[in-house]
Amino acid sequence: MDCDFPSIYRSAYEDAERRDELKEYAKSFRLNVGCACAIEHDIRACAIGNGLQAGCVDMTLERYGFQRVSFVLANSLCKMEHPESIREDVLAWGEQIYVPPDGDNNRYYAVDAATPLLEAFIGQVRETYQTLGLFGPEHCVNSEKGLDYTGKVLVLSPNTLKESCWSPLNQLWLGETGFGCSPTASGRAVYATCLGDGEQTRWNRADFIGVLDEQYLPDWAREKLEELTQGQRSQGPEQTGPTMNM
């Protein structure tokens, strides 16, 4: 993606009304409806029996972006009359995307398509997303109790970034300081350094998916990590360097 897309309003109409954000809600709602219509058009144009031509999703992704297309598709799965007819892996994918219950308004951007064709469209979206090579929960260390982020390589959620910035180079950060580094602290701030370009900034703990499993650490990130380690060691013997220890 070489452009940024309008943000998705992820709350219901009543919440938008209470927050005096109806303009933002209306803009996002119109785009959701337009996206659903575009998906229906693509499916009709590309249908081959119970399947779709290759590249069916490309134009709609270019126009609306992965986040809105995925949001609309997840909403469509929620509104299926017979969800039991959907494959379990497709349902599980949709459940990862939060769509606010919004009464009848949800139906306006639910894609009307035969189940096999909707599944095929979602399959192409997922496959295209995989080509971006982004890090996800499957690349992180699992911990029910949470992990301390200090000195760890952290995976920033793609949802935190604009789609024009979706790249593995922008996802890996070295956690350094801040109350948010602790899983039990009340503070949220995590001060970190990007392993892609060396940028230093503040994030919230919730902006990160988790701690990267060392087996997925790419060579370029390992080199940057070593560079930061050497820089911190040169500051004094008491300075501790970053680690991949769990």
Side-chain angles (χ1 to χ4, degrees):
M1 299 299 147
D2 56 4
C3 63
D4 292 327
F5 301 95
S7 60
I8 301 171
Y9 194 87
R10 298 181 183 272
S11 297
Y13 178 89
E14 291 182 357
D15 295 323
E17 187 175 36
R18 185 176 65 255
R19 299 169 184 163
D20 195 24
E21 296 175 345
L22 287 178
K23 288 184 178 180
E24 293 87 344
Y25 173 93
K27 178 181 179 181
S28 185
F29 180 79
R30 288 194 296 269
L31 288 170
N32 293 341
V33 174
C35 181
C37 291
I39 293 172
E40 291 175 0
H41 174 271
D42 289 346
I43 289 176
R44 288 194 299 269
C46 298
I48 305 177
N50 287 329
L52 298 173
Q53 298 175 13
C56 178
V57 302
D58 293 349
M59 290 186 64
T60 296
L61 286 175
E62 286 292 335
R63 182 176 178 184
Y64 291 99
F66 276 101
Q67 293 191 77
R68 191 172 304 277
V69 169
S70 298
F71 183 80
V72 168
L73 290 171
N75 175 68
S76 303
L77 292 174
C78 290
K79 304 310 293 183
M80 292 286 292
E81 292 185 3
H82 301 287
E84 67 278 3
S85 65
I86 298 289
R87 296 201 319 266
E88 289 186 5
D89 66 298
V90 175
L91 286 175
W93 171 84
E95 289 171 355
Q96 295 176 7
I97 303 168
Y98 175 72
V99 179
D102 200 18
D104 291 338
N105 290 338
N106 290 107
R107 295 194 176 278
Y108 285 101
Y109 58 97
V111 175
D112 183 11
T115 297
L117 296 178
L118 182 62
E119 287 182 334
F121 193 91
I122 291 173
Q124 286 198 17
V125 170
R126 296 171 69 185
E127 290 172 2
T128 305
Y129 179 86
Q130 289 298 319
T131 64
L132 300 177
L134 299 177
F135 294 101
E138 66 276 15
H139 301 111
C140 295
V141 176
N142 293 321
S143 174
E144 294 181 0
K145 297 181 180 179
L147 295 170
D148 191 296
Y149 283 177
T150 306
K152 302 298 195 312
V153 176
L154 310 176
V155 178
L156 190 66
S157 171
N159 293 334
T160 305
L161 298 165
K162 295 180 179 179
E163 288 194 30
S164 61
C165 297
W166 277 14
S167 166
L169 290 170
N170 296 325
Q171 278 193 282
L172 298 187
W173 293 71
L174 173 62
E176 296 176 322
T177 62
F179 289 113
C181 285
S182 171
T184 58
S186 58
R188 299 179 300 167
V190 174
Y191 295 91
T193 297
C194 180
L195 297 184
D197 60 9
E199 176 189 355
Q200 295 178 311
T201 193
R202 175 199 183 279
W203 297 101
N204 289 331
R205 185 180 176 92
D207 293 330
F208 295 100
I209 298 172
V211 175
L212 183 71
D213 190 322
E214 186 173 6
Q215 65 176 311
Y216 299 115
L217 185 69
D219 291 340
W220 59 264
R222 193 178 300 276
E223 292 175 3
K224 184 63 177 180
L225 195 60
E226 180 61 27
E227 177 185 324
L228 291 171
T229 301
Q230 293 177 350
Q232 290 182 348
R233 286 173 180 168
S234 67
Q235 295 175 15
E238 296 183 357
Q239 182 70 43
T240 58
T243 177
M244 285 297 292
N245 293 335
M246 302 307 144

Short mmCIF file of all heavy atoms in Angstrom, two decimals, residues 16-53:
data_model
loop_
_atom_site.label_atom_id
_atom_site.label_comp_id
_atom_site.label_asym_id
_atom_site.label_seq_id
_atom_site.Cartn_x
_atom_site.Cartn_y
_atom_site.Cartn_z
N ALA A 16 -21.00 7.22 19.51
CA ALA A 16 -20.60 8.40 18.75
C ALA A 16 -21.45 9.60 19.11
O ALA A 16 -20.95 10.73 19.23
CB ALA A 16 -20.71 8.10 17.25
N GLU A 17 -22.74 9.37 19.31
CA GLU A 17 -23.65 10.45 19.68
C GLU A 17 -23.28 11.01 21.05
O GLU A 17 -23.25 12.23 21.26
CB GLU A 17 -25.09 9.94 19.69
CG GLU A 17 -26.13 11.01 19.91
CD GLU A 17 -27.54 10.47 19.79
OE1 GLU A 17 -27.77 9.31 20.21
OE2 GLU A 17 -28.41 11.18 19.27
N ARG A 18 -22.98 10.14 21.99
CA ARG A 18 -22.63 10.56 23.34
C ARG A 18 -21.32 11.34 23.34
O ARG A 18 -21.15 12.28 24.13
CB ARG A 18 -22.52 9.34 24.25
CG ARG A 18 -22.28 9.69 25.72
CD ARG A 18 -22.26 8.47 26.61
NE ARG A 18 -21.16 7.57 26.32
CZ ARG A 18 -21.27 6.42 25.67
NH1 ARG A 18 -22.46 6.02 25.24
NH2 ARG A 18 -20.22 5.66 25.46
N ARG A 19 -20.40 10.98 22.46
CA ARG A 19 -19.10 11.64 22.41
C ARG A 19 -19.06 12.83 21.46
O ARG A 19 -18.02 13.45 21.26
CB ARG A 19 -18.03 10.63 21.96
CG ARG A 19 -17.88 9.44 22.89
CD ARG A 19 -17.03 8.38 22.23
NE ARG A 19 -16.92 7.19 23.05
CZ ARG A 19 -16.51 6.00 22.60
NH1 ARG A 19 -16.16 5.87 21.33
NH2 ARG A 19 -16.43 4.96 23.41
N ASP A 20 -20.21 13.14 20.85
CA ASP A 20 -20.28 14.22 19.85
C ASP A 20 -19.32 13.95 18.70
O ASP A 20 -18.60 14.83 18.24
CB ASP A 20 -19.96 15.57 20.51
CG ASP A 20 -20.37 16.75 19.62
OD1 ASP A 20 -21.26 16.57 18.78
OD2 ASP A 20 -19.78 17.83 19.77
N GLU A 21 -19.37 12.70 18.20
CA GLU A 21 -18.49 12.29 17.10
C GLU A 21 -19.29 11.71 15.93
O GLU A 21 -18.83 10.83 15.21
CB GLU A 21 -17.48 11.25 17.60
CG GLU A 21 -16.52 11.80 18.64
CD GLU A 21 -15.59 10.73 19.22
OE1 GLU A 21 -15.88 9.52 19.02
OE2 GLU A 21 -14.60 11.09 19.86
N LEU A 22 -20.49 12.25 15.74
CA LEU A 22 -21.35 11.69 14.69
C LEU A 22 -20.79 11.92 13.28
O LEU A 22 -21.01 11.12 12.38
CB LEU A 22 -22.76 12.29 14.79
CG LEU A 22 -23.59 11.78 15.98
CD1 LEU A 22 -24.95 12.46 16.01
CD2 LEU A 22 -23.77 10.26 15.90
N LYS A 23 -20.04 13.01 13.08
CA LYS A 23 -19.44 13.24 11.76
C LYS A 23 -18.42 12.16 11.45
O LYS A 23 -18.38 11.64 10.33
CB LYS A 23 -18.79 14.62 11.72
CG LYS A 23 -19.77 15.78 11.67
CD LYS A 23 -19.04 17.11 11.52
CE LYS A 23 -20.02 18.26 11.43
NZ LYS A 23 -19.32 19.58 11.29
N GLU A 24 -17.60 11.82 12.44
CA GLU A 24 -16.61 10.78 12.25
C GLU A 24 -17.28 9.43 12.01
O GLU A 24 -16.87 8.65 11.14
CB GLU A 24 -15.68 10.69 13.46
CG GLU A 24 -14.78 11.90 13.65
CD GLU A 24 -15.44 13.01 14.46
OE1 GLU A 24 -16.69 12.98 14.62
OE2 GLU A 24 -14.70 13.89 14.94
N TYR A 25 -18.35 9.18 12.77
CA TYR A 25 -19.09 7.93 12.60
C TYR A 25 -19.68 7.85 11.20
O TYR A 25 -19.57 6.82 10.52
CB TYR A 25 -20.20 7.84 13.65
CG TYR A 25 -21.13 6.67 13.45
CD1 TYR A 25 -20.89 5.46 14.09
CD2 TYR A 25 -22.24 6.77 12.62
CE1 TYR A 25 -21.73 4.36 13.91
CE2 TYR A 25 -23.08 5.68 12.42
CZ TYR A 25 -22.83 4.48 13.06
OH TYR A 25 -23.67 3.41 12.86
N ALA A 26 -20.33 8.93 10.76
CA ALA A 26 -21.00 8.93 9.46
C ALA A 26 -20.01 8.73 8.31
O ALA A 26 -20.28 7.98 7.36
CB ALA A 26 -21.77 10.23 9.26
N LYS A 27 -18.85 9.37 8.39
CA LYS A 27 -17.84 9.22 7.34
C LYS A 27 -17.37 7.77 7.25
O LYS A 27 -17.30 7.19 6.16
CB LYS A 27 -16.66 10.13 7.63
CG LYS A 27 -15.54 10.01 6.60
CD LYS A 27 -14.38 10.94 6.94
CE LYS A 27 -13.24 10.79 5.92
NZ LYS A 27 -12.10 11.68 6.27
N SER A 28 -17.09 7.18 8.40
CA SER A 28 -16.62 5.80 8.41
C SER A 28 -17.72 4.84 7.96
O SER A 28 -17.47 3.89 7.21
CB SER A 28 -16.13 5.42 9.81
OG SER A 28 -15.58 4.14 9.84
N PHE A 29 -18.95 5.11 8.38
CA PHE A 29 -20.08 4.25 8.00
C PHE A 29 -20.27 4.24 6.49
O PHE A 29 -20.47 3.19 5.87
CB PHE A 29 -21.34 4.74 8.70
CG PHE A 29 -22.57 3.92 8.39
CD1 PHE A 29 -22.78 2.70 9.03
CD2 PHE A 29 -23.50 4.36 7.47
CE1 PHE A 29 -23.90 1.94 8.74
CE2 PHE A 29 -24.63 3.60 7.19
CZ PHE A 29 -24.83 2.39 7.83
N ARG A 30 -20.20 5.43 5.86
CA ARG A 30 -20.35 5.50 4.40
C ARG A 30 -19.25 4.71 3.69
O ARG A 30 -19.51 4.03 2.69
CB ARG A 30 -20.32 6.96 3.94
CG ARG A 30 -21.57 7.75 4.29
CD ARG A 30 -21.63 9.07 3.53
NE ARG A 30 -20.52 9.95 3.91
CZ ARG A 30 -20.58 10.84 4.88
NH1 ARG A 30 -21.69 10.97 5.61
NH2 ARG A 30 -19.55 11.61 5.16
N LEU A 31 -18.05 4.79 4.20
CA LEU A 31 -16.95 4.04 3.60
C LEU A 31 -17.15 2.54 3.80
O LEU A 31 -16.84 1.74 2.90
CB LEU A 31 -15.62 4.48 4.21
CG LEU A 31 -15.13 5.86 3.79
CD1 LEU A 31 -13.93 6.30 4.63
CD2 LEU A 31 -14.75 5.87 2.30
N ASN A 32 -17.67 2.15 4.95
CA ASN A 32 -17.96 0.73 5.18
C ASN A 32 -18.98 0.21 4.17
O ASN A 32 -18.82 -0.87 3.60
CB ASN A 32 -18.49 0.51 6.60
CG ASN A 32 -17.45 0.78 7.66
OD1 ASN A 32 -16.26 0.79 7.39
ND2 ASN A 32 -17.92 0.99 8.89
N VAL A 33 -20.02 0.99 3.95
CA VAL A 33 -21.06 0.58 2.99
C VAL A 33 -20.48 0.52 1.58
O VAL A 33 -20.73 -0.43 0.83
CB VAL A 33 -22.26 1.56 3.04
CG1 VAL A 33 -23.26 1.23 1.94
CG2 VAL A 33 -22.93 1.50 4.41
N GLY A 34 -19.69 1.52 1.21
CA GLY A 34 -19.07 1.53 -0.11
C GLY A 34 -18.13 0.35 -0.29
O GLY A 34 -18.08 -0.26 -1.37
N CYS A 35 -17.41 0.00 0.76
CA CYS A 35 -16.49 -1.13 0.70
C CYS A 35 -17.26 -2.44 0.50
O CYS A 35 -16.87 -3.29 -0.31
CB CYS A 35 -15.66 -1.19 1.98
SG CYS A 35 -14.46 -2.53 2.04
N ALA A 36 -18.37 -2.61 1.22
CA ALA A 36 -19.19 -3.81 1.07
C ALA A 36 -19.72 -3.93 -0.36
O ALA A 36 -19.71 -5.02 -0.94
CB ALA A 36 -20.34 -3.79 2.08
N CYS A 37 -20.16 -2.81 -0.91
CA CYS A 37 -20.66 -2.82 -2.29
C CYS A 37 -19.55 -3.19 -3.28
O CYS A 37 -19.78 -3.92 -4.25
CB CYS A 37 -21.25 -1.45 -2.65
SG CYS A 37 -22.78 -1.05 -1.78
N ALA A 38 -18.34 -2.67 -3.03
CA ALA A 38 -17.22 -2.97 -3.90
C ALA A 38 -16.86 -4.46 -3.84
O ALA A 38 -16.54 -5.08 -4.87
CB ALA A 38 -16.01 -2.12 -3.51
N ILE A 39 -16.92 -5.04 -2.65
CA ILE A 39 -16.64 -6.47 -2.51
C ILE A 39 -17.68 -7.29 -3.25
O ILE A 39 -17.35 -8.26 -3.96
CB ILE A 39 -16.61 -6.86 -1.01
CG1 ILE A 39 -15.40 -6.21 -0.33
CG2 ILE A 39 -16.56 -8.38 -0.85
CD1 ILE A 39 -15.39 -6.37 1.18
N GLU A 40 -18.96 -6.92 -3.12
CA GLU A 40 -20.01 -7.64 -3.84
C GLU A 40 -19.79 -7.55 -5.35
O GLU A 40 -19.97 -8.54 -6.08
CB GLU A 40 -21.37 -7.06 -3.47
CG GLU A 40 -21.78 -7.35 -2.03
CD GLU A 40 -23.08 -6.66 -1.65
OE1 GLU A 40 -23.66 -5.96 -2.52
OE2 GLU A 40 -23.53 -6.81 -0.50
N HIS A 41 -19.39 -6.38 -5.83
CA HIS A 41 -19.11 -6.20 -7.26
C HIS A 41 -17.96 -7.10 -7.70
O HIS A 41 -18.02 -7.76 -8.74
CB HIS A 41 -18.78 -4.74 -7.56
CG HIS A 41 -18.36 -4.50 -8.98
ND1 HIS A 41 -17.03 -4.59 -9.39
CD2 HIS A 41 -19.08 -4.18 -10.09
CE1 HIS A 41 -16.96 -4.35 -10.68
NE2 HIS A 41 -18.18 -4.10 -11.13
N ASP A 42 -16.89 -7.11 -6.90
CA ASP A 42 -15.73 -7.95 -7.25
C ASP A 42 -16.11 -9.42 -7.31
O ASP A 42 -15.68 -10.15 -8.22
CB ASP A 42 -14.63 -7.76 -6.20
CG ASP A 42 -13.96 -6.40 -6.29
OD1 ASP A 42 -14.17 -5.70 -7.31
OD2 ASP A 42 -13.25 -6.03 -5.34
N ILE A 43 -16.89 -9.86 -6.34
CA ILE A 43 -17.29 -11.27 -6.31
C ILE A 43 -18.12 -11.62 -7.54
O ILE A 43 -17.91 -12.67 -8.17
CB ILE A 43 -18.05 -11.58 -5.01
CG1 ILE A 43 -17.08 -11.54 -3.82
CG2 ILE A 43 -18.74 -12.94 -5.08
CD1 ILE A 43 -17.74 -11.73 -2.47
N ARG A 44 -19.06 -10.76 -7.90
CA ARG A 44 -19.88 -11.04 -9.09
C ARG A 44 -19.02 -11.07 -10.35
O ARG A 44 -19.23 -11.91 -11.24
CB ARG A 44 -20.98 -9.98 -9.24
CG ARG A 44 -22.10 -10.08 -8.21
CD ARG A 44 -23.29 -9.23 -8.62
NE ARG A 44 -22.93 -7.82 -8.73
CZ ARG A 44 -23.03 -6.94 -7.73
NH1 ARG A 44 -23.46 -7.35 -6.54
NH2 ARG A 44 -22.70 -5.68 -7.91
N ALA A 45 -18.06 -10.16 -10.43
CA ALA A 45 -17.23 -10.05 -11.63
C ALA A 45 -16.21 -11.18 -11.76
O ALA A 45 -15.81 -11.52 -12.88
CB ALA A 45 -16.52 -8.70 -11.64
N CYS A 46 -15.81 -11.76 -10.62
CA CYS A 46 -14.71 -12.73 -10.63
C CYS A 46 -15.14 -14.15 -10.33
O CYS A 46 -14.29 -15.05 -10.28
CB CYS A 46 -13.65 -12.30 -9.61
SG CYS A 46 -12.88 -10.70 -9.95
N ALA A 47 -16.44 -14.36 -10.13
CA ALA A 47 -16.91 -15.69 -9.75
C ALA A 47 -16.70 -16.71 -10.86
O ALA A 47 -17.00 -16.45 -12.02
CB ALA A 47 -18.38 -15.63 -9.36
N ILE A 48 -16.14 -17.84 -10.48
CA ILE A 48 -16.00 -18.99 -11.37
C ILE A 48 -16.51 -20.20 -10.60
O ILE A 48 -15.77 -20.80 -9.81
CB ILE A 48 -14.54 -19.22 -11.79
CG1 ILE A 48 -13.94 -17.96 -12.42
CG2 ILE A 48 -14.45 -20.38 -12.77
CD1 ILE A 48 -12.47 -18.11 -12.77
N GLY A 49 -17.77 -20.53 -10.81
CA GLY A 49 -18.37 -21.60 -10.01
C GLY A 49 -18.41 -21.17 -8.55
O GLY A 49 -18.96 -20.12 -8.21
N ASN A 50 -17.80 -21.98 -7.68
CA ASN A 50 -17.74 -21.65 -6.26
C ASN A 50 -16.42 -20.99 -5.88
O ASN A 50 -16.11 -20.84 -4.69
CB ASN A 50 -17.93 -22.91 -5.41
CG ASN A 50 -19.37 -23.40 -5.42
OD1 ASN A 50 -20.30 -22.61 -5.54
ND2 ASN A 50 -19.55 -24.71 -5.30
N GLY A 51 -15.65 -20.58 -6.88
CA GLY A 51 -14.37 -19.94 -6.63
C GLY A 51 -14.29 -18.58 -7.29
O GLY A 51 -15.25 -18.09 -7.90
N LEU A 52 -13.12 -17.94 -7.16
CA LEU A 52 -12.90 -16.62 -7.71
C LEU A 52 -11.62 -16.59 -8.54
O LEU A 52 -10.69 -17.35 -8.28
CB LEU A 52 -12.78 -15.58 -6.58
CG LEU A 52 -13.98 -15.39 -5.66
CD1 LEU A 52 -13.59 -14.46 -4.50
CD2 LEU A 52 -15.17 -14.82 -6.43
N GLN A 53 -11.59 -15.72 -9.52
CA GLN A 53 -10.38 -15.52 -10.28
C GLN A 53 -9.27 -14.97 -9.38
O GLN A 53 -9.54 -14.28 -8.40
CB GLN A 53 -10.64 -14.53 -11.42
CG GLN A 53 -11.66 -14.98 -12.44
CD GLN A 53 -11.97 -13.90 -13.47
OE1 GLN A 53 -11.25 -12.91 -13.56
NE2 GLN A 53 -13.03 -14.10 -14.22
#
